[in-house]
Amino acid sequence: QSVLTQPPSVSAAPGQKVTISCSGSSSNTGNNFVSWYQQLPGTAPKLLIYDNEKRPSGIPDRFSGSKSGTSATLDITGLQTGDEADYYCGAWDSSLSAYVFGTGTKVTVL
Amino acid sequence: EMQLVESGGGLVQPGGSLRLSCAASGFTFSGYTMNWVRQAPGKGLEWISSISPYSGPIYYADSVKGRFSISRDNTESSVFLQVNSLRAEDTAVYSCARGRGYFSSGTYNMDVWGTGTTVTVSS
């Protein structure tokens, strides 16, 4: 069972912006760094954001992350049809000594 | 090119066992923590286990503790997952992923992923 809560789905028209939230607790998102993963249909997850806001090489700046308190946010601007995917947040949980993923959010481009 | 390739999945009866393997290439395997993550059909990602570069420390999810065992062979650039006492709810695609960062500092992520091997538990 996931300990990080995300909205099941978000949607917007091409070119618009979507925001995905990730809510946790002090033992995970509150005191540890958050990562975001993109899983395109039928493919392996891909690291999108790490350390709350950093982008790996090759990830466009349309994807941005932030964190405040125990909640993290992933913003996708200039939405494209190729962004349709499932998005997961993740963080180390110091109390569980376990890595925890969010419940996942499906992004739909209208 | 960095690559992770899993193998060893299959159809197994409840209570059965399998040994999953993940072969790494394109990076210095012994320098990284390795992880197993699973995804049940139509469900989200579930972290299963992590093993540090020289096999300590090792962590498990509560859902598999006592039934699954992770190990690695740095000479073969491979990580393994021994899965025992399998249940229907263990049916999933099992993927390995390279870890980056440090648990102790709370900065940890998984930056290279394999495509997974499918485990189906059914009678």
Side-chain angles (χ1 to χ4, degrees), chain B residues 24-40:
Chain B
S25 60
F27 63 95
T28 303
F29 181 77
S30 60
Y32 292 90
T33 293
M34 296 300 296
N35 310 272
W36 284 96
V37 175
R38 70 182 179 184
Q39 188 168 32

Side-chain angles (χ1 to χ4, degrees), chain B residues 32-110:
Chain B
Y32 292 90
T33 293
M34 296 300 296
N35 310 272
W36 284 96
V37 175
R38 70 182 179 184
Q39 188 168 32
K43 303 296 185 182
L45 302 175
E46 181 187 14
W47 170 86
I48 294 299
S49 183
S50 297
I51 184 168
S52 300
Y54 292 95
S55 300
I58 289 174
Y59 299 102
Y60 295 99
D62 285 345
S63 58
V64 305
K65 205 170 289 184
R67 300 188 299 125
F68 291 11
S69 177
I70 192 171
S71 62
R72 64 189 294 160
D73 184 335
N74 288 342
T75 64
E76 292 187 359
S77 297
S78 294
V79 60
F80 309 98
L81 187 69
Q82 179 68 39
V83 296
N84 299 327
S85 304
L86 283 164
R87 308 164 179 166
E89 55 265 35
D90 295 318
T91 294
V93 174
Y94 286 73
S95 300
C96 63
R98 187 179 82 167
R100 198 173 63 164
Y102 302 94
F103 301 126
S104 58
S105 63
T107 172
Y108 191 76
N109 55 80
M110 300 176 209

Side-chain angles (χ1 to χ4, degrees), chain A residues 37 44-47, chain B residues 1-6 22-27 32-35 37 95-100 109-115:
Chain A
Y37 304 87
K46 175 183 179 181
L47 181 65
Chain B
E1 179 192 3
M2 295 178 290
Q3 195 172 16
L4 297 171
V5 179
E6 302 90 341
C22 169
S25 60
F27 63 95
Y32 292 90
T33 293
M34 296 300 296
N35 310 272
V37 175
S95 300
C96 63
R98 187 179 82 167
R100 198 173 63 164
N109 55 80
M110 300 176 209
D111 66 337
V112 181
W113 293 70
T115 56

